[in-house]
């Protein structure tokens, strides 16, 4: 059977193990060749080919719920559910999503994009199933990286408490959690997964439950079994959460995988299936990668592994601009430290981590922890920089608010991949951080026009002594090192006049400043282009000047409108020249007090409203 001929998981149900192994090889080749043309997540998908085949062989989706944590490793799942022919449009507009999408297929029961949600979703499905008296299996596939997320740990705790029937497949590709008992542990796993053992166990349990003496015998046997498992077999992490466990099993051995999943399927209550896989399996460049380079890739040459698109010699990615500048600062500032929630490769911080290993902290997939830790580092006298993707910073809003903004802690936040990111889709577009952060008192929020301004903003941020956020997009920019670094006045904007008699004003930010200027010159248009490099605070003086010109003003931005730069401008102008009266709490944190006293303090009592209304009469 060709990969593109597969219409549903039913097509593999009658295959024997040898045929499934052959299909796995075909899928691996298909994935490498396809992703080489379109780009996408490579290593993670190559690592779970056999595991995904075994899941669909043993379970009956879409009735059974198969949940892929993050979802970027679901390419084989998409192939087995009839979507192989759509891979030429992988991650393209109106094409195949790189993640599970419910509108795309009934086999996609859950949508993710961010990590560590699968276990909570699994417990939710299991609870709904039991309350509605339905009958289906719930299976969550989660990797060792995602298991570092706090949400996953919260879910494990609840799953162990509620003891619902569900299966957690723990995809371990670096053996970072379990103890290794080698041959003995493998033989125990093989025994538990054998058909003879499973049938004998079920028969013994049924017989012993028939009378009181048998129930006592069963209870004692269970105690002995648990004692052996606690001391020898199980990964201690899962036993601490009161979860049964089986494994580890070779994640590339289909016969073993099928037997172990059949065993888990018969288990009462929650069980963890520990699977050992190799990321990038089948493609040498990806297999040998230790940095995450082959996690997500742009189109590449299969033979050489080289990307098909290369940056101009004088360009760097925005991430590299920030990273190089941090390296320069770290040479002089011994207190400068860098933190990231598992984004060292993506944010180009590996060079920093090698140069300053004792000042670099990869906190795992734990955005909340990373931000709060940085805050305490600042209180302890260090100068922390946190590098985090815009889409993942959403997870740390509470910490940005309570632990950074409220305490006015001098932490510099680098918001990487800000704005539209393209093919990763709606879960990854970094278009919400402006609106999210503008509401937090004491925070400064900025974005540089070019690489030179990025270096000066970072210089300003560390010298400001305030919570300071710098957002920058995916992509590249022309780079030249700024030797004479300058402080930028916080809240200041700049403007450029194109032509001699401007007829319009464009307010924008980031790389679009230069793009607008260039296009205006090409089209011989006369206009004023404003570099609104600060979203908070805004440049009130310049806004007033722009309004006074009487020219049409266009605020051009590529992030969400609600809470945007244009919103900030309108808010400012309404305070200066009110067109309608507003009430609310100003840009500060409200201390304790009775609700009545606080409403009086903040001028949001009914008395304040009616005083204004009386002036309207």
């Amino acid at each position: 059977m060709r990969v593109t001929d597969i219409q549903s998981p039913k097509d593999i149900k009658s295959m024997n193990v040898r045929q499934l192994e052959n299909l796995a090889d075909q899928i691996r080749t298909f994935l490498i060749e396809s992703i080489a043309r379109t780009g996408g997540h490579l290593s993670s998908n190559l690592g779970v080919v056999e595991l995904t085949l075994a899941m669909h062989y043993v379970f009956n989706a879409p009735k059974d719920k198969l949940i892929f944590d993050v979802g970027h490793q679901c390419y084989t799942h998409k192939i087995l559910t009839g979507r192989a022919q759509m891979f030429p449009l992988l991650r393209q507009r109106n094409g195949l999503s790189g993640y599970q999408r419910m509108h795309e297929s009934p086999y996609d029961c859950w949508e993710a994009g961010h990590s560590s949600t699968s276990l909570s979703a699994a417990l939710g499905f299991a609870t709904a199933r039991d309350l509605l008296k339905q009958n289906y299996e719930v299976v969550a596939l989660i990797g060792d990286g995602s298991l570092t997320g706090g949400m996953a740990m919260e879910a494990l705790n609840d799953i162990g408490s509620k003891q619902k029937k569900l299966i957690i497949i723990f995809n371990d590709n670096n053996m970072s959690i379990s103890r290794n008992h080698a041959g003995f542990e493998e033989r125990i796993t093989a025994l538990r997964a054998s058909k003879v053992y499973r049938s004998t166990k079920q028969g013994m349990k049924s017989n012993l439950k028939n009378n009181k003496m048998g129930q006592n015998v069963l209870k004692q046997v269970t105690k002995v079994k648990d004692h052996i498992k606690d001391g020898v077999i199980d990964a201690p992490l899962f036993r601490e959460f009161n979860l049964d466990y089986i494994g580890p099993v070779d994640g590339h051995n289909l016969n073993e995988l099928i037997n172990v999943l059949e065993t888990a399927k018969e288990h009462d209550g929650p069980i963890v299936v520990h699977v050992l896989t190799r990321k990038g399996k089948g493609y040498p460049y990806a297999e040998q990668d230790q940095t995450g380079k082959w996690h997500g890739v742009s189109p590449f040459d299969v033979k050489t592994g080289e990307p098909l698109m290369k940056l101009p010699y004088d360009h760097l990615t925005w991430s590299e601009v920030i990273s190089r500048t941090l390296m320069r600062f770290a040479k002089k500032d011994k207190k400068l430290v860098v933190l990231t929630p598992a984004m060292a490769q993506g944010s180009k911080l590996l060079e920093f981590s090698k140069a300053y290993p004792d000042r670099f902290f990869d906190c795992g997939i734990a955005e909340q922890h990373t931000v709060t830790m940085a805050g305490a580092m600042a209180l302890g006298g260090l100068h922390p920089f946190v590098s985090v993707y815009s889409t993942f910073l959403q997870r740390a809003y509470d910490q940005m608010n309570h632990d950074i903004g409220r305490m006015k802690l001098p932490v510099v936040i680098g918001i990487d991949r800000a704005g539209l990111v393209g093919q990763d889709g709606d879960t990854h577009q970094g278009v919400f951080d402006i609106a999210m952060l503008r509401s937090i008192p004491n925070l400064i929020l900025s974005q540089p026009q070019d690489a030179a301004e990025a270096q000066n903003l970072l210089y300003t941020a560390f010298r400001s002594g305030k919570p300071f956020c710098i957002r920058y997009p995916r992509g590249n920019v022309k780079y030249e090192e700024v030797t004479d670094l300058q402080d930028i006045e916080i809240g200041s904007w700049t403007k450029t006049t194109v032509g001699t008699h401007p007829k319009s004003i464009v307010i924008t930010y980031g790389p679009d400043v230069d793009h607008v200027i260039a296009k205006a010159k090409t089209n011989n248009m006369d206009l004023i282009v404003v570099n609104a490099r600060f979203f908070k605070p805004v440049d009130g003086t310049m806004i007033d000047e722009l309004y006074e010109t009487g020219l049409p003003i266009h605020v051009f931005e590529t992030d969400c409108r609600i809470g945007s730069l244009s919103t900030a401008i309108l808010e400012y102008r309404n305070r200066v020249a009110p067109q309608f009266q507003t009430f609310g709490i100003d840009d500060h944190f409200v201390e304790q007090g009775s609700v009545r006293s606080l409403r009086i303090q903040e001028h949001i009592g009914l008395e304040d409203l009616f005083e204004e209304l009386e002036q309207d009469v």
Side-chain angles (χ1 to χ4, degrees):
M1 179 180 291
R2 294 183 304 176
V3 170
T4 51
D5 290 337
I6 298 174
Q7 297 300 310
S8 79
K10 292 180 181 178
D11 293 335
I12 70 169
K13 295 289 187 181
S14 60
M15 289 184 175
N16 58 37
V17 171
R18 179 64 62 85
Q19 290 171 321
L20 289 172
E21 290 171 343
N22 181 56
L23 180 58
D25 291 338
Q26 291 185 56
I27 290 174
R28 205 165 256 115
T29 300
F30 175 86
L31 287 174
I32 294 169
E33 293 176 350
S34 180
I35 297 171
R37 290 190 293 269
T38 63
H41 288 95
L42 183 66
S43 290
S44 52
N45 281 289
L46 294 180
V48 297
V49 173
E50 289 87 359
L51 178 54
T52 310
L53 274 166
M55 289 168 66
H56 275 289
Y57 188 83
V58 171
F59 300 102
N60 296 304
K63 180 184 177 183
D64 292 338
K65 311 303 180 187
L66 306 184
I67 305 166
F68 293 79
D69 201 275
V70 185
H72 63 252
Q73 80 286 46
C74 69
Y75 291 8
T76 299
H77 163 76
K78 295 202 173 199
I79 290 170
L80 297 177
T81 52
R83 288 174 270 180
Q85 293 182 350
M86 298 174 66
F87 268 73
L89 293 178
L90 177 67
R91 296 168 16 114
Q92 305 300 312
R93 188 168 182 269
N94 298 322
L96 191 68
S97 171
Y99 300 86
Q100 286 184 297
R101 282 292 177 267
M102 290 186 285
H103 74 267
E104 204 175 86
S105 170
Y107 291 94
D108 293 358
C109 66
W110 178 255
E111 295 187 2
H114 292 180
S115 81
S116 312
T117 67
S118 62
L119 303 187
S120 300
L123 182 56
F125 275 117
T127 303
R129 174 199 63 201
D130 294 350
L131 284 174
L132 298 176
K133 305 288 192 276
Q134 295 174 340
N135 182 29
Y136 57 81
E137 301 293 336
V138 179
V139 184
L141 172 62
I142 184 168
D144 52 357
S146 294
L147 208 59
T148 66
M151 186 175 178
M153 290 296 170
E154 293 172 12
L156 282 177
N157 185 55
D158 205 15
I159 290 168
S161 172
K162 291 187 169 57
Q163 288 294 301
K164 298 287 183 183
K165 177 175 169 54
L166 59 87
I167 299 167
I168 299 169
I169 300 176
F170 169 43
N171 177 27
D172 181 357
N173 48 48
N174 64 11
M175 298 184 70
S176 61
I177 292 180
S178 72
R179 293 172 293 170
N180 184 2
H181 293 287
F184 181 78
E185 193 172 53
E186 291 174 6
R187 287 193 291 274
I188 293 292
T189 298
L191 172 63
R192 292 183 68 192
S194 68
K195 291 181 179 179
V196 173
Y197 173 85
R198 297 199 324 255
S199 61
T200 301
K201 183 183 75 170
Q202 291 299 327
M204 185 180 75
K205 286 177 69 175
S206 297
N207 292 329
L208 289 175
K209 284 181 178 179
N210 289 334
N211 57 72
K212 190 170 184 179
M213 181 180 292
Q215 291 171 6
N216 289 331
V217 171
L218 181 60
K219 186 175 181 179
Q220 294 305 314
V221 169
T222 300
K223 283 184 178 180
V224 172
K225 178 195 72 172
D226 288 343
H227 177 72
I228 294 173
K229 285 164 59 182
D230 285 343
V232 180
I233 302 171
D234 286 359
L237 169 68
F238 301 115
R239 289 298 296 168
E240 290 297 324
F241 285 109
N242 196 28
L243 301 173
D244 203 351
Y245 166 97
I246 185 169
V249 60
D250 182 354
H252 304 295
N253 185 316
L254 275 159
N255 189 57
E256 288 184 17
L257 284 169
I258 290 168
N259 287 337
V260 168
L261 291 180
E262 290 284 6
T263 301
K265 189 176 180 180
E266 296 173 3
H267 183 75
D268 294 328
I271 186 171
V272 175
V273 178
H274 186 172
V275 179
L276 302 178
T277 62
R278 178 184 291 274
K279 288 190 77 170
K281 181 173 173 57
Y283 188 57
Y285 294 111
E287 281 194 45
Q288 296 161 13
D289 177 30
Q290 299 295 317
T291 65
K293 173 184 175 182
W294 288 92
H295 172 72
V297 296
S298 58
F300 63 94
D301 184 303
V302 174
K303 291 183 179 179
T304 65
E306 292 296 317
L308 298 181
M309 298 176 62
K310 295 188 177 181
L311 295 180
Y313 77 95
D314 58 351
H315 280 58
L316 295 177
T317 66
W318 283 94
S319 303
E320 287 173 317
V321 171
I322 297 298
S323 180
R324 284 198 182 187
T325 309
L326 288 169
M327 290 282 289
R328 289 172 58 197
F329 293 175
K331 289 180 182 178
K332 295 181 179 179
D333 183 358
K334 304 302 181 184
K335 295 181 179 180
L336 191 152
V337 293
V338 172
L339 303 88
T340 183
M343 288 290 111
Q345 166 65 27
S347 291
K348 306 302 179 186
L349 294 169
L350 293 179
E351 186 178 349
F352 187 100
S353 70
K354 293 174 183 176
Y356 304 102
D358 59 333
R359 290 197 269 156
F360 177 76
F361 304 88
D362 188 333
C363 302
I365 302 176
E367 293 83 4
Q368 302 96 317
H369 159 63
T370 304
V371 170
T372 297
M373 180 178 171
M377 283 178 158
L379 279 175
L382 297 176
H383 302 153
F385 176 88
V386 175
S387 179
V388 58
Y389 286 12
S390 172
T391 183
F392 301 138
L393 183 60
Q394 294 165 186
R395 294 185 146 197
Y397 175 81
D398 181 69
Q399 288 69 29
M400 289 294 294
N401 187 316
H402 281 195
D403 302 339
I404 304 298
R406 187 178 58 84
M407 290 192 280
K408 303 179 184 179
L409 300 182
V411 176
V412 182
I413 308 287
I415 307 174
D416 201 344
R417 305 300 199 275
L420 295 171
V421 298
Q423 291 87 349
D424 278 334
D426 57 357
T427 58
H428 281 62
Q429 309 294 5
V431 298
F432 302 108
D433 58 84
I434 297 174
M436 178 180 77
L437 297 173
R438 276 192 57 243
S439 65
I440 300 177
N442 305 320
L443 277 186
I444 297 165
L445 178 59
S446 64
Q447 180 167 349
Q449 169 184 346
D450 52 30
E453 193 164 76
Q455 295 169 73
N456 283 320
L457 271 176
L458 195 56
Y459 178 74
T460 303
F462 277 110
R463 289 165 55 87
S464 70
K466 298 177 181 179
F468 204 118
C469 302
I470 305 173
R471 68 194 307 265
Y472 40 94
R474 188 176 189 175
N476 60 84
V477 62
K478 188 174 181 179
Y479 174 79
E480 184 175 341
E481 184 177 301
V482 177
T483 56
D484 184 22
L485 292 163
Q486 301 290 326
D487 271 315
I488 294 176
E489 183 183 351
I490 293 173
S492 66
W493 296 354
T494 62
K495 62 182 178 181
T496 301
T497 301
V498 181
T500 55
H501 301 289
K503 298 179 177 61
S504 302
I505 297 169
V506 175
I507 303 175
T508 189
Y509 51 84
D512 280 326
V513 175
D514 286 335
H515 297 161
V516 171
I517 291 172
K519 191 167 184 65
K521 290 179 177 178
T522 300
N523 293 355
N524 294 316
M525 295 186 68
D526 294 350
L527 56 90
I528 295 171
V529 181
V530 176
N531 171 22
R533 58 193 176 189
F534 286 95
F535 307 97
K536 184 179 183 182
V538 295
D539 190 335
T541 301
M542 183 173 290
I543 292 173
D544 292 339
E545 291 174 358
L546 297 174
Y547 267 83
E548 288 169 5
T549 66
L551 296 175
I553 297 176
H554 307 268
V555 183
F556 180 70
E557 46 190 326
T558 55
D559 297 279
C560 65
R561 288 192 182 191
I562 297 174
S564 63
L565 172 64
S566 54
T567 303
I569 294 170
L570 293 173
E571 289 170 354
Y572 170 79
R573 280 301 298 176
N574 193 64
R575 289 196 300 271
V576 174
Q579 295 186 8
F580 59 94
Q581 186 68 37
T582 63
F583 294 85
I585 296 170
D586 286 329
D587 187 29
H588 60 251
F589 289 95
V590 180
E591 297 290 345
Q592 73 272 7
S594 69
V595 173
R596 171 66 179 161
S597 67
L598 294 177
R599 289 182 69 150
I600 292 172
Q601 171 187 306
E602 300 298 325
H603 304 290
I604 52 175
L606 286 178
E607 296 84 354
D608 299 286
L609 171 62
F610 277 85
E611 282 181 14
E612 291 291 336
L613 292 175
E614 288 173 2
Q615 295 179 23
D616 295 339
V617 178

